[in-house]
């Protein structure tokens, strides 16, 4: 029987968990084996993981008992929730609570909770700088994850709290790629003013998570922020210009304008960028690039990621 320790990976068919699953599978014969958890063990992505050597197990974030079964016998658990599937912080909180309880009952030795800041610790609900959303949040998809940290602590789960960063892959999949403006020029736009946006190739989140599982106990109870680079909008636009060999500009859209763009989640994201802008020193300081590289020596910077992916970026 293999003496590899099992890492149960939530979201293994998705971006963060998929990066971790691939990183573990790439280290053939390494210390860990992958258990990919999915709602649909018959999906193409689940089959791909099985073909690559993962154990594929059914589990649903809305069903605590299924998570407990999926975590049974696992050394580690990568825990991530997908806010953008339902846009409900209450649902995200309930799913995180299920994860924490299941990890405790299955006696997981090391969990990673993919979290973000509860921005209400910086911006009180009555602070008029940004609107309160859904009655009790400033940045719903951040606040719920941060609030959920205490489920893991409270249940006594040995947990590392992983503070992730903006995926550069949003330029491919989230409609944030360069768009042609009324002047005919390509531009990227978000409300960061001249401040730096910590970003990362999503594949590198999984590789950093593997580095955390490898370090093990010394990182239990710690918050670890990760980023590939901290760049201003102008610096990102300059990298686009070099890689695409055509001019791309940066529009520092004001947050109140961004919030009014009308797409689902625009208000949440407008507040998110404003939080990153207004608390920029803090936000960057906890996402140290060199510490991220120590966890993942293959960590990419923005321009390397862009050169490798530019053909997938839709130009509007
Ligand atoms: N975009 C960014 O820049 C960014 C940055 C930092 C953090 N985040 C956060 O990242 C999270 C999303 O992670 P991702 O990008 O890796 O997601 P993703 O690529 O959209 O994939 C979602 C994954 O979650 C799984 N999942 C969703 N609901 C589930 C449920 N009820 N039970 C079991 N599994 C479920 C899916 O598995 P199956 O469908 O196979 O069941 C899938 O593997 C969001 O909460 C977001 O706030 C995003």
């Amino acid at each position: 029987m293999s003496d590899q320790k099992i890492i149960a990976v939530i979201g293994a068919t998705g971006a963060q968990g998929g990066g971790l699953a691939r990183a573990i599978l790439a280290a053939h014969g390494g210390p860990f084996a992958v258990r990919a958890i999915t709602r649909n063990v018959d999906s193409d992505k689940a089959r791909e993981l099985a073909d690559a050597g993962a154990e594929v197990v059914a589990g649903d974030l809305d069903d605590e008992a299924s998570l407990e079964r999926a975590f049974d016998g696992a050394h580690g658990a990568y825990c991530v929730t997908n806010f953008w599937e339902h846009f409900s912080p209450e649902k995200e909180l309930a799913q995180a609570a299920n994860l924490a309880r299941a990890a405790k009952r299955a006696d997981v030795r090391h969990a990673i909770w993919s979290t973000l800041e509860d921005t209400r610790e910086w911006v009180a609900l009555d602070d008029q700088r940004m609107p309160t959303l859904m009655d009790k949040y400033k940045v719903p998809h951040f606040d719920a994850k941060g609030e959920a940290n205490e489920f893991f602590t409270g249940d006594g789960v040995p947990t590392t709290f992983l503070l992730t960063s903006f995926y550069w892959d949003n330029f491919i999949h989230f409609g944030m790629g360069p768009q042609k403006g009324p002047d005919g020029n390509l531009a990227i736009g978000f409300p960061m003013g001249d401040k730096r946006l910590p970003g990362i190739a999503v594949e590198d989140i999984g590789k950093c998570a593997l580095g955390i599982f490898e370090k093990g106990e010394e990182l239990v109870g710690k918050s670890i922020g990760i980023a590939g680079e901290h760049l201003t909008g102008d610096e990102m636009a300059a990298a686009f210009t070099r890689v695409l060999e055509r001019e791309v500009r940066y529009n520092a859209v004001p947050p109140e304008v961004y919030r009014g763009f009308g797409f689902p989640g625009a208000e949440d994201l407008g507040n998110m960028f404003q939080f990153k802008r207004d608390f920029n020193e803090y936000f960057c300081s906890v996402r140290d690039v060199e510490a991220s590289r120590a966890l993942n020596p293959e960590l990419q910077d923005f321009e390397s990621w862009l050169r490798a992916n530019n053909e997938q970026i839709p130009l509007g």
Side-chain angles (χ1 to χ4, degrees), residues 4-312:
Q4 287 179 318
K5 293 174 176 166
I6 295 167
I7 305 291
V9 183
I10 302 287
T13 58
Q16 293 190 29
L20 172 59
R22 284 185 288 278
I24 297 174
L25 291 167
H28 301 285
F32 301 121
V34 181
R35 181 181 292 165
I37 301 170
T38 171
R39 287 165 294 183
N40 180 3
V41 296
D42 293 320
S43 72
D44 289 347
K45 286 187 174 170
R47 284 176 194 274
E48 247 173 62
L49 286 162
D51 290 345
E55 177 192 3
V56 177
V57 167
D60 189 325
L61 292 169
D62 297 322
D63 175 356
E64 185 186 329
S66 76
L67 296 176
E68 194 183 331
R69 284 193 297 275
F71 288 167
D72 185 44
H75 163 84
Y78 187 76
C79 299
V80 60
T81 44
N82 185 12
F83 179 88
W84 301 114
E85 186 170 309
H86 46 72
F87 293 77
S88 162
E90 278 75 29
K91 184 158 177 149
E92 190 159 44
L93 281 161
Q95 292 182 335
N98 286 343
L99 282 165
R101 279 193 300 266
K104 180 64 186 170
R105 291 169 76 100
D107 199 22
V108 162
R109 306 318 308 154
H110 191 181
I112 295 179
W113 166 231
S114 177
T115 189
L116 288 164
E117 283 83 355
D118 183 341
T119 65
R120 297 166 296 184
E121 291 172 19
W122 285 263
V123 191
L125 287 185
D126 61 1
D127 189 319
Q128 302 299 314
R129 265 178 294 188
M130 58 178 79
T132 292
L133 303 177
M134 303 179 187
D135 297 331
K136 48 182 178 178
Y137 302 99
K138 285 298 187 185
V139 184
H141 79 285
F142 268 53
D143 298 348
K145 290 184 181 70
E147 185 177 331
N149 290 355
E150 69 183 26
F151 299 146
F152 291 85
T153 318
D155 286 339
V157 182
T159 305
T160 303
F161 300 90
L162 181 64
L163 290 162
T164 57
S165 288
F166 175 89
Y167 310 168
W168 293 323
D169 307 67
N170 293 332
F171 290 122
I172 303 174
H173 304 295
F174 221 74
M176 290 190 180
Q179 304 280 320
K180 214 177 256 176
D183 58 0
N185 291 315
L186 286 174
I188 51 171
F190 36 82
M192 288 295 295
D194 61 358
K195 298 292 195 269
R196 294 182 178 279
L197 177 65
I200 194 164
V202 74
E203 197 71 13
D204 281 329
I205 296 180
K207 291 181 182 178
C208 290
L210 175 56
I212 291 171
F213 281 125
E214 284 170 348
K215 278 193 186 281
E217 206 168 327
E218 67 181 274
L219 296 183
V220 166
K222 302 253 166 25
S223 265
I224 308 283
I226 52 171
E229 214 173 352
H230 304 163
L231 294 173
T232 63
D234 282 334
E235 288 168 339
M236 290 181 143
F240 268 111
T241 300
R242 287 190 294 276
V243 172
L244 301 181
E245 295 180 355
R246 56 192 282 200
E247 191 180 5
V248 177
R249 297 177 188 174
Y250 163 60
N251 282 337
V253 189
E256 49 281 12
V257 172
Y258 197 95
R259 283 192 278 269
F261 278 167
F263 63 83
E267 289 181 299
D268 189 333
L269 291 176
N271 282 7
M272 174 196 80
F273 281 117
Q274 186 178 344
F275 171 72
K276 294 181 185 184
R277 183 196 72 179
D278 293 354
F279 301 90
N280 198 245
E281 205 178 310
Y282 155 76
F283 196 79
C284 291
S285 72
V286 296
R287 289 167 169 79
D288 186 76
V289 174
E290 284 321 308
S292 308
R293 187 159 287 116
L295 292 169
N296 163 23
E298 293 170 8
L299 188 78
Q300 298 169 75
D301 61 23
F302 181 56
E303 193 156 334
S304 316
W305 176 85
L306 200 51
R307 284 192 192 284
N309 291 280
N310 82 77
E311 283 175 10
Q312 293 184 63

